[in-house]
């Protein structure tokens, strides 16, 4: 029986690398895994999931208006799908997470979603919030703060390197914009 999995972490914990490894494992066994990523994240290339260690793969794009059930049903027309892999899952809407439960429960396709748990203010993203609530299984991928403790928060920095304490929840960026930190260092800078 298929299940909905949520792999979450702060930045730089290897979420995309883990997703790409899972996709490779399916492909190596002659199985079909379909990869999805958020259309708004075009840091590397639209329609591609890429990791900082140099791995990448072509991906289907989702926007806030994408019906995940319809999209998966259209992909099924070309054959069986053994797994759905979703990068940047924090950008899913509540409705899309609900749709993914239908993909799992009615289409019997496992869904592995990878995303950030919280934003730069320590608040959950909508997609992460509902994945944390509705996933069958959850796994934390870990990374470290500059002090060596587990990093579970992300600090956004402005163009001068100063911590940002307000603004839009979504601002696509990498190491030039965000830094993963432990709660203690996050609190010193943001709260």
């Amino acid at each position: 029986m298929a299940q909905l999995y949520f792999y979450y972490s702060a930045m730089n914990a290897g979420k995309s690398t883990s997703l790409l490894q899972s996709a490779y494992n399916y492909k190596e066994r002659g199985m079909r895994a379909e990869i999805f990523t958020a259309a708004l994240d075009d840091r590397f290339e639209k329609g591609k999931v890429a990791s900082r260690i140099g791995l990448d793969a072509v991906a289907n794009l989702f926007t806030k208006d994408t019906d995940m059930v319809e999209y998966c049903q259209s992909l099924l027309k070309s054959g069986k799908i053994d797994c759905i892999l979703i990068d940047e899952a924090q950008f899913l809407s509540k409705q899309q997470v609900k749709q993914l439960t239908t993909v799992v429960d009615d289409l019997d396709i496992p869904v592995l979603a990878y995303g950030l748990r919280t934003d730069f203010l320590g608040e959950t993203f909508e997609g992460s919030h509902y994945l944390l609530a509705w996933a069958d299984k959850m796994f934390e991928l870990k990374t470290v703060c500059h002090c060596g403790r587990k990093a579970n928060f992300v600090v956004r920095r402005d163009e001068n390197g100063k911590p940002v304490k307000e603004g839009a929840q979504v601002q696509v960026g990498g190491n030039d914009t965000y830094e993963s930190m432990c709660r203690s260092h996050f609190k010193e800078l943001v709260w």
Side-chain angles (χ1 to χ4, degrees), residues 2 29-30 49 68 70 85 92 94 113 123 128 171 183 185 188 190:
R29 288 173 177 61
V49 170
M68 300 304 287
E70 285 182 9
L85 301 160
L92 293 164
K94 175 182 181 180
E123 302 290 332
S128 302
Q171 178 181 317
R183 183 176 52 230
H185 284 107
E188 286 176 12
V190 178

Side-chain angles (χ1 to χ4, degrees), residues 15 23 25 27 29 37 39 41 65 85 105 108 111 128 139 156 166 171 177 181:
K15 293 178 299 297
N25 291 346
K27 184 177 180 181
R29 288 173 177 61
T37 193
D41 185 1
D65 300 317
L85 301 160
D105 297 338
D108 199 30
V111 174
S128 302
F139 303 93
R156 181 188 293 168
E166 59 184 30
Q171 178 181 317
T177 309
M181 291 187 182

Side-chain angles (χ1 to χ4, degrees), residues 20-33 82:
L20 292 166
Q21 179 65 52
S22 292
Y24 177 82
N25 291 346
Y26 275 93
K27 184 177 180 181
E28 185 178 45
R29 288 173 177 61
M31 301 168 91
R32 179 178 172 202
D82 297 291

Side-chain angles (χ1 to χ4, degrees), residues 100-115:
L100 291 174
T101 68
T102 300
V103 170
V104 169
D105 297 338
D106 297 352
L107 302 181
D108 199 30
I109 303 171
V111 174
L112 285 67
Y114 296 78

Side-chain angles (χ1 to χ4, degrees), residues 15-76:
K15 293 178 299 297
S16 297
T17 302
S18 180
L19 179 148
L20 292 166
Q21 179 65 52
S22 292
Y24 177 82
N25 291 346
Y26 275 93
K27 184 177 180 181
E28 185 178 45
R29 288 173 177 61
M31 301 168 91
R32 179 178 172 202
E34 287 288 340
I35 301 172
F36 285 81
T37 193
L40 64 88
D41 185 1
D42 59 0
R43 288 174 292 160
F44 301 102
E45 184 180 325
K46 262 202 186 309
K48 187 175 273 193
V49 170
S51 70
R52 283 179 297 287
I53 64 170
L55 304 173
D56 62 46
V58 173
N60 301 287
L61 295 174
F62 70 86
T63 67
K64 63 183 182 73
D65 300 317
T66 301
D67 183 312
M68 300 304 287
V69 175
E70 285 182 9
Y71 204 142
C72 290
Q73 287 173 326
S74 71
L75 292 171
L76 279 168

Side-chain angles (χ1 to χ4, degrees), residues 152-175:
N152 46 5
F153 289 88
V154 178
V155 172
R156 181 188 293 168
R157 296 189 182 276
D158 66 16
E159 60 279 350
N160 298 315
K162 303 252 189 263
V164 176
K165 298 181 182 182
E166 59 184 30
Q169 184 179 47
V170 176
Q171 178 181 317
V172 175
N175 291 345

Side-chain angles (χ1 to χ4, degrees), residues 3-7 131 134-139:
Q3 293 189 321
L4 174 58
Y5 300 85
F6 184 35
Y7 295 83
L131 285 163
W134 299 338
D136 297 299
K137 294 189 177 163
M138 294 174 280
F139 303 93

